[in-house]
PDB file of all heavy atoms in Angstrom:
ATOM      1  N   TYR L   1     235.396  64.563  24.471  1.00  0.00           N
ATOM      2  CA  TYR L   1     234.134  63.978  24.936  1.00  0.00           C
ATOM      3  C   TYR L   1     234.390  62.751  25.812  1.00  0.00           C
ATOM      4  O   TYR L   1     233.823  62.610  26.894  1.00  0.00           O
ATOM      5  CB  TYR L   1     233.293  63.606  23.718  1.00  0.00           C
ATOM      6  CG  TYR L   1     231.934  63.034  24.030  1.00  0.00           C
ATOM      7  CD1 TYR L   1     230.827  63.854  24.150  1.00  0.00           C
ATOM      8  CD2 TYR L   1     231.754  61.661  24.189  1.00  0.00           C
ATOM      9  CE1 TYR L   1     229.569  63.341  24.427  1.00  0.00           C
ATOM     10  CE2 TYR L   1     230.514  61.133  24.474  1.00  0.00           C
ATOM     11  CZ  TYR L   1     229.428  61.976  24.591  1.00  0.00           C
ATOM     12  OH  TYR L   1     228.192  61.465  24.877  1.00  0.00           O
ATOM     13  N   SER L   2     235.264  61.867  25.346  1.00  0.00           N
ATOM     14  CA  SER L   2     235.555  60.620  26.067  1.00  0.00           C
ATOM     15  C   SER L   2     236.208  60.904  27.410  1.00  0.00           C
ATOM     16  O   SER L   2     235.860  60.280  28.427  1.00  0.00           O
ATOM     17  CB  SER L   2     236.469  59.726  25.218  1.00  0.00           C
ATOM     18  OG  SER L   2     235.864  59.408  23.979  1.00  0.00           O
ATOM     19  N   GLU L   3     237.149  61.833  27.426  1.00  0.00           N
ATOM     20  CA  GLU L   3     237.862  62.140  28.670  1.00  0.00           C
ATOM     21  C   GLU L   3     236.931  62.767  29.701  1.00  0.00           C
ATOM     22  O   GLU L   3     237.003  62.436  30.894  1.00  0.00           O
ATOM     23  CB  GLU L   3     239.030  63.078  28.376  1.00  0.00           C
ATOM     24  CG  GLU L   3     240.183  62.392  27.633  1.00  0.00           C
ATOM     25  CD  GLU L   3     241.318  63.347  27.307  1.00  0.00           C
ATOM     26  OE1 GLU L   3     241.142  64.584  27.518  1.00  0.00           O
ATOM     27  OE2 GLU L   3     242.373  62.875  26.836  1.00  0.00           O
ATOM     28  N   VAL L   4     236.053  63.666  29.259  1.00  0.00           N
ATOM     29  CA  VAL L   4     235.136  64.322  30.192  1.00  0.00           C
ATOM     30  C   VAL L   4     234.214  63.309  30.848  1.00  0.00           C
ATOM     31  O   VAL L   4     234.066  63.285  32.079  1.00  0.00           O
ATOM     32  CB  VAL L   4     234.316  65.413  29.475  1.00  0.00           C
ATOM     33  CG1 VAL L   4     233.128  65.856  30.345  1.00  0.00           C
ATOM     34  CG2 VAL L   4     235.189  66.611  29.162  1.00  0.00           C
ATOM     35  N   TRP L   5     233.605  62.422  30.052  1.00  0.00           N
ATOM     36  CA  TRP L   5     232.658  61.471  30.632  1.00  0.00           C
ATOM     37  C   TRP L   5     233.342  60.412  31.481  1.00  0.00           C
ATOM     38  O   TRP L   5     232.772  59.927  32.458  1.00  0.00           O
ATOM     39  CB  TRP L   5     231.801  60.831  29.540  1.00  0.00           C
ATOM     40  CG  TRP L   5     230.680  61.727  29.123  1.00  0.00           C
ATOM     41  CD1 TRP L   5     230.445  62.259  27.889  1.00  0.00           C
ATOM     42  CD2 TRP L   5     229.643  62.239  29.971  1.00  0.00           C
ATOM     43  NE1 TRP L   5     229.335  63.065  27.914  1.00  0.00           N
ATOM     44  CE2 TRP L   5     228.823  63.072  29.175  1.00  0.00           C
ATOM     45  CE3 TRP L   5     229.335  62.094  31.309  1.00  0.00           C
ATOM     46  CZ2 TRP L   5     227.717  63.737  29.691  1.00  0.00           C
ATOM     47  CZ3 TRP L   5     228.231  62.759  31.832  1.00  0.00           C
ATOM     48  CH2 TRP L   5     227.436  63.563  31.018  1.00  0.00           C
ATOM     49  N   ASP L   6     234.565  60.066  31.148  1.00  0.00           N
ATOM     50  CA  ASP L   6     235.313  59.126  31.986  1.00  0.00           C
ATOM     51  C   ASP L   6     235.540  59.726  33.376  1.00  0.00           C
ATOM     52  O   ASP L   6     235.341  59.053  34.403  1.00  0.00           O
ATOM     53  CB  ASP L   6     236.653  58.797  31.328  1.00  0.00           C
ATOM     54  CG  ASP L   6     237.514  57.902  32.204  1.00  0.00           C
ATOM     55  OD1 ASP L   6     237.082  56.778  32.529  1.00  0.00           O
ATOM     56  OD2 ASP L   6     238.624  58.330  32.590  1.00  0.00           O
ATOM     57  N   LYS L   7     235.898  60.993  33.423  1.00  0.00           N
ATOM     58  CA  LYS L   7     236.167  61.638  34.703  1.00  0.00           C
ATOM     59  C   LYS L   7     234.885  61.901  35.484  1.00  0.00           C
ATOM     60  O   LYS L   7     234.859  61.757  36.713  1.00  0.00           O
ATOM     61  CB  LYS L   7     236.939  62.944  34.478  1.00  0.00           C
ATOM     62  CG  LYS L   7     238.368  62.713  33.982  1.00  0.00           C
ATOM     63  CD  LYS L   7     239.078  64.026  33.701  1.00  0.00           C
ATOM     64  CE  LYS L   7     240.500  63.777  33.191  1.00  0.00           C
ATOM     65  NZ  LYS L   7     241.189  65.051  32.866  1.00  0.00           N
ATOM     66  N   VAL L   8     233.812  62.285  34.774  1.00  0.00           N
ATOM     67  CA  VAL L   8     232.547  62.570  35.452  1.00  0.00           C
ATOM     68  C   VAL L   8     231.974  61.311  36.091  1.00  0.00           C
ATOM     69  O   VAL L   8     231.604  61.306  37.272  1.00  0.00           O
ATOM     70  CB  VAL L   8     231.523  63.186  34.472  1.00  0.00           C
ATOM     71  CG1 VAL L   8     230.131  63.230  35.113  1.00  0.00           C
ATOM     72  CG2 VAL L   8     231.949  64.594  34.067  1.00  0.00           C
ATOM     73  N   ILE L   9     231.913  60.231  35.322  1.00  0.00           N
ATOM     74  CA  ILE L   9     231.240  59.013  35.809  1.00  0.00           C
ATOM     75  C   ILE L   9     232.167  58.132  36.632  1.00  0.00           C
ATOM     76  O   ILE L   9     231.834  57.737  37.755  1.00  0.00           O
ATOM     77  CB  ILE L   9     230.661  58.205  34.633  1.00  0.00           C
ATOM     78  CG1 ILE L   9     229.709  59.068  33.806  1.00  0.00           C
ATOM     79  CG2 ILE L   9     229.935  56.967  35.159  1.00  0.00           C
ATOM     80  CD1 ILE L   9     228.517  59.600  34.560  1.00  0.00           C
ATOM     81  N   ASN L  10     233.335  57.810  36.124  1.00  0.00           N
ATOM     82  CA  ASN L  10     234.219  56.876  36.830  1.00  0.00           C
ATOM     83  C   ASN L  10     234.937  57.514  38.024  1.00  0.00           C
ATOM     84  O   ASN L  10     235.187  56.847  39.019  1.00  0.00           O
ATOM     85  CB  ASN L  10     235.247  56.298  35.856  1.00  0.00           C
ATOM     86  CG  ASN L  10     234.630  55.307  34.891  1.00  0.00           C
ATOM     87  OD1 ASN L  10     233.785  54.498  35.254  1.00  0.00           O
ATOM     88  ND2 ASN L  10     235.055  55.370  33.632  1.00  0.00           N
ATOM     89  N   GLU L  11     235.266  58.801  37.906  1.00  0.00           N
ATOM     90  CA  GLU L  11     235.983  59.474  38.989  1.00  0.00           C
ATOM     91  C   GLU L  11     235.072  60.350  39.838  1.00  0.00           C
ATOM     92  O   GLU L  11     235.515  60.937  40.826  1.00  0.00           O
ATOM     93  CB  GLU L  11     237.135  60.305  38.412  1.00  0.00           C
ATOM     94  CG  GLU L  11     238.171  59.462  37.670  1.00  0.00           C
ATOM     95  CD  GLU L  11     239.304  60.310  37.112  1.00  0.00           C
ATOM     96  OE1 GLU L  11     239.520  61.437  37.628  1.00  0.00           O
ATOM     97  OE2 GLU L  11     239.978  59.862  36.168  1.00  0.00           O
ATOM     98  N   GLY L  12     233.793  60.445  39.438  1.00  0.00           N
ATOM     99  CA  GLY L  12     232.839  61.214  40.228  1.00  0.00           C
ATOM    100  C   GLY L  12     233.052  62.710  40.187  1.00  0.00           C
ATOM    101  O   GLY L  12     232.592  63.436  41.080  1.00  0.00           O
ATOM    102  N   LYS L  13     233.732  63.215  39.160  1.00  0.00           N
ATOM    103  CA  LYS L  13     234.022  64.649  39.071  1.00  0.00           C
ATOM    104  C   LYS L  13     232.858  65.370  38.399  1.00  0.00           C
ATOM    105  O   LYS L  13     232.950  65.833  37.265  1.00  0.00           O
ATOM    106  CB  LYS L  13     235.330  64.877  38.323  1.00  0.00           C
ATOM    107  CG  LYS L  13     236.544  64.311  39.060  1.00  0.00           C
ATOM    108  CD  LYS L  13     237.845  64.591  38.323  1.00  0.00           C
ATOM    109  CE  LYS L  13     239.049  64.080  39.111  1.00  0.00           C
ATOM    110  NZ  LYS L  13     240.333  64.330  38.391  1.00  0.00           N
ATOM    111  N   ILE L  14     231.763  65.466  39.127  1.00  0.00           N
ATOM    112  CA  ILE L  14     230.528  66.039  38.586  1.00  0.00           C
ATOM    113  C   ILE L  14     230.698  67.509  38.216  1.00  0.00           C
ATOM    114  O   ILE L  14     229.997  68.029  37.333  1.00  0.00           O
ATOM    115  CB  ILE L  14     229.371  65.868  39.601  1.00  0.00           C
ATOM    116  CG1 ILE L  14     228.011  66.151  38.944  1.00  0.00           C
ATOM    117  CG2 ILE L  14     229.608  66.746  40.824  1.00  0.00           C
ATOM    118  CD1 ILE L  14     227.584  65.114  37.965  1.00  0.00           C
ATOM    119  N   ASP L  15     231.656  68.212  38.853  1.00  0.00           N
ATOM    120  CA  ASP L  15     231.849  69.637  38.577  1.00  0.00           C
ATOM    121  C   ASP L  15     232.446  69.894  37.198  1.00  0.00           C
ATOM    122  O   ASP L  15     232.509  71.053  36.755  1.00  0.00           O
ATOM    123  CB  ASP L  15     232.734  70.279  39.648  1.00  0.00           C
ATOM    124  CG  ASP L  15     232.016  70.417  40.982  1.00  0.00           C
ATOM    125  OD1 ASP L  15     230.769  70.466  40.968  1.00  0.00           O
ATOM    126  OD2 ASP L  15     232.688  70.457  42.025  1.00  0.00           O
ATOM    127  N   LEU L  16     232.868  68.835  36.509  1.00  0.00           N
ATOM    128  CA  LEU L  16     233.328  68.998  35.129  1.00  0.00           C
ATOM    129  C   LEU L  16     232.164  69.236  34.170  1.00  0.00           C
ATOM    130  O   LEU L  16     232.378  69.592  33.010  1.00  0.00           O
ATOM    131  CB  LEU L  16     234.129  67.771  34.680  1.00  0.00           C
ATOM    132  CG  LEU L  16     235.507  67.613  35.323  1.00  0.00           C
ATOM    133  CD1 LEU L  16     236.192  66.349  34.814  1.00  0.00           C
ATOM    134  CD2 LEU L  16     236.374  68.838  35.028  1.00  0.00           C
ATOM    135  N   ILE L  17     230.954  69.050  34.664  1.00  0.00           N
ATOM    136  CA  ILE L  17     229.792  69.477  33.880  1.00  0.00           C
ATOM    137  C   ILE L  17     229.662  70.981  34.125  1.00  0.00           C
ATOM    138  O   ILE L  17     228.984  71.446  35.046  1.00  0.00           O
ATOM    139  CB  ILE L  17     228.512  68.718  34.293  1.00  0.00           C
ATOM    140  CG1 ILE L  17     228.690  67.218  34.045  1.00  0.00           C
ATOM    141  CG2 ILE L  17     227.308  69.239  33.516  1.00  0.00           C
ATOM    142  CD1 ILE L  17     227.484  66.370  34.407  1.00  0.00           C
ATOM    143  N   ASN L  18     230.405  71.738  33.339  1.00  0.00           N
ATOM    144  CA  ASN L  18     230.482  73.192  33.491  1.00  0.00           C
ATOM    145  C   ASN L  18     230.584  73.842  32.121  1.00  0.00           C
ATOM    146  O   ASN L  18     230.584  73.164  31.089  1.00  0.00           O
ATOM    147  CB  ASN L  18     231.680  73.579  34.378  1.00  0.00           C
ATOM    148  CG  ASN L  18     232.992  73.028  33.849  1.00  0.00           C
ATOM    149  OD1 ASN L  18     233.201  72.934  32.640  1.00  0.00           O
ATOM    150  ND2 ASN L  18     233.891  72.645  34.751  1.00  0.00           N
ATOM    151  N   SER L  19     230.705  75.148  32.099  1.00  0.00           N
ATOM    152  CA  SER L  19     230.715  75.882  30.832  1.00  0.00           C
ATOM    153  C   SER L  19     232.006  75.705  30.052  1.00  0.00           C
ATOM    154  O   SER L  19     232.084  76.121  28.891  1.00  0.00           O
ATOM    155  CB  SER L  19     230.456  77.368  31.094  1.00  0.00           C
ATOM    156  OG  SER L  19     231.430  77.902  31.976  1.00  0.00           O
ATOM    157  N   ASP L  20     233.025  75.116  30.671  1.00  0.00           N
ATOM    158  CA  ASP L  20     234.253  74.822  29.918  1.00  0.00           C
ATOM    159  C   ASP L  20     234.053  73.617  28.993  1.00  0.00           C
ATOM    160  O   ASP L  20     234.695  73.529  27.943  1.00  0.00           O
ATOM    161  CB  ASP L  20     235.408  74.524  30.873  1.00  0.00           C
ATOM    162  CG  ASP L  20     235.846  75.745  31.657  1.00  0.00           C
ATOM    163  OD1 ASP L  20     235.651  76.864  31.148  1.00  0.00           O
ATOM    164  OD2 ASP L  20     236.377  75.567  32.775  1.00  0.00           O
ATOM    165  N   ASN L  21     233.190  72.693  29.405  1.00  0.00           N
ATOM    166  CA  ASN L  21     233.022  71.451  28.648  1.00  0.00           C
ATOM    167  C   ASN L  21     231.648  71.313  27.994  1.00  0.00           C
ATOM    168  O   ASN L  21     231.487  70.498  27.077  1.00  0.00           O
ATOM    169  CB  ASN L  21     233.244  70.255  29.579  1.00  0.00           C
ATOM    170  CG  ASN L  21     234.632  70.248  30.187  1.00  0.00           C
ATOM    171  OD1 ASN L  21     235.627  70.380  29.484  1.00  0.00           O
ATOM    172  ND2 ASN L  21     234.698  70.122  31.513  1.00  0.00           N
ATOM    173  N   PHE L  22     230.677  72.079  28.464  1.00  0.00           N
ATOM    174  CA  PHE L  22     229.313  71.995  27.944  1.00  0.00           C
ATOM    175  C   PHE L  22     228.816  73.385  27.559  1.00  0.00           C
ATOM    176  O   PHE L  22     229.162  74.372  28.217  1.00  0.00           O
ATOM    177  CB  PHE L  22     228.373  71.396  29.002  1.00  0.00           C
ATOM    178  CG  PHE L  22     228.665  69.960  29.352  1.00  0.00           C
ATOM    179  CD1 PHE L  22     229.706  69.640  30.221  1.00  0.00           C
ATOM    180  CD2 PHE L  22     227.907  68.924  28.817  1.00  0.00           C
ATOM    181  CE1 PHE L  22     229.991  68.322  30.540  1.00  0.00           C
ATOM    182  CE2 PHE L  22     228.172  67.609  29.138  1.00  0.00           C
ATOM    183  CZ  PHE L  22     229.218  67.296  29.997  1.00  0.00           C
ATOM    184  N   THR L  23     227.996  73.449  26.528  1.00  0.00           N
ATOM    185  CA  THR L  23     227.385  74.731  26.184  1.00  0.00           C
ATOM    186  C   THR L  23     226.374  75.092  27.266  1.00  0.00           C
ATOM    187  O   THR L  23     225.809  74.216  27.918  1.00  0.00           O
ATOM    188  CB  THR L  23     226.682  74.659  24.820  1.00  0.00           C
ATOM    189  OG1 THR L  23     225.624  73.696  24.873  1.00  0.00           O
ATOM    190  CG2 THR L  23     227.670  74.266  23.715  1.00  0.00           C
ATOM    191  N   THR L  24     226.154  76.370  27.443  1.00  0.00           N
ATOM    192  CA  THR L  24     225.253  76.805  28.518  1.00  0.00           C
ATOM    193  C   THR L  24     223.822  76.324  28.291  1.00  0.00           C
ATOM    194  O   THR L  24     223.057  76.183  29.243  1.00  0.00           O
ATOM    195  CB  THR L  24     225.253  78.337  28.640  1.00  0.00           C
ATOM    196  OG1 THR L  24     224.923  78.921  27.377  1.00  0.00           O
ATOM    197  CG2 THR L  24     226.641  78.824  29.077  1.00  0.00           C
ATOM    198  N   ASP L  25     223.474  76.056  27.021  1.00  0.00           N
ATOM    199  CA  ASP L  25     222.122  75.578  26.711  1.00  0.00           C
ATOM    200  C   ASP L  25     222.109  74.086  26.365  1.00  0.00           C
ATOM    201  O   ASP L  25     221.268  73.625  25.598  1.00  0.00           O
ATOM    202  CB  ASP L  25     221.515  76.382  25.553  1.00  0.00           C
ATOM    203  CG  ASP L  25     222.353  76.288  24.274  1.00  0.00           C
ATOM    204  OD1 ASP L  25     223.502  75.776  24.350  1.00  0.00           O
ATOM    205  OD2 ASP L  25     221.867  76.721  23.205  1.00  0.00           O
ATOM    206  N   VAL L  26     223.060  73.337  26.937  1.00  0.00           N
ATOM    207  CA  VAL L  26     223.153  71.902  26.662  1.00  0.00           C
ATOM    208  C   VAL L  26     221.802  71.228  26.881  1.00  0.00           C
ATOM    209  O   VAL L  26     221.067  71.572  27.812  1.00  0.00           O
ATOM    210  CB  VAL L  26     224.243  71.240  27.537  1.00  0.00           C
ATOM    211  CG1 VAL L  26     223.944  71.391  29.013  1.00  0.00           C
ATOM    212  CG2 VAL L  26     224.436  69.780  27.160  1.00  0.00           C
ATOM    213  N   VAL L  27     221.496  70.259  26.025  1.00  0.00           N
ATOM    214  CA  VAL L  27     220.194  69.594  26.058  1.00  0.00           C
ATOM    215  C   VAL L  27     220.364  68.079  26.186  1.00  0.00           C
ATOM    216  O   VAL L  27     221.158  67.475  25.463  1.00  0.00           O
ATOM    217  CB  VAL L  27     219.371  69.895  24.780  1.00  0.00           C
ATOM    218  CG1 VAL L  27     218.059  69.101  24.782  1.00  0.00           C
ATOM    219  CG2 VAL L  27     219.095  71.373  24.665  1.00  0.00           C
ATOM    220  N   MET L  28     219.634  67.489  27.127  1.00  0.00           N
ATOM    221  CA  MET L  28     219.483  66.037  27.210  1.00  0.00           C
ATOM    222  C   MET L  28     218.076  65.728  26.716  1.00  0.00           C
ATOM    223  O   MET L  28     217.091  66.135  27.334  1.00  0.00           O
ATOM    224  CB  MET L  28     219.672  65.547  28.642  1.00  0.00           C
ATOM    225  CG  MET L  28     219.146  64.129  28.917  1.00  0.00           C
ATOM    226  SD  MET L  28     220.030  62.842  28.002  1.00  0.00           S
ATOM    227  CE  MET L  28     221.583  62.847  28.888  1.00  0.00           C
TER     228      MET L  28
END
């Protein structure tokens, strides 16, 4: 969890929000 959000936000790797790291029905 920590590694994914560090890369998404700090490194701008928005494509890591995908089915490898999130469930297809992920909910905010």
Side-chain angles (χ1 to χ4, degrees):
Y1 182 91
S2 301
E3 288 178 352
V4 166
W5 280 119
D6 176 60
K7 291 177 181 178
V8 169
I9 304 299
N10 288 320
E11 299 180 22
K13 295 182 177 179
I14 193 70
D15 288 336
L16 289 179
I17 299 180
N18 56 35
S19 58
D20 292 333
N21 300 310
F22 294 79
T23 62
T24 55
D25 59 349
V26 61
V27 175
M28 163 65 72

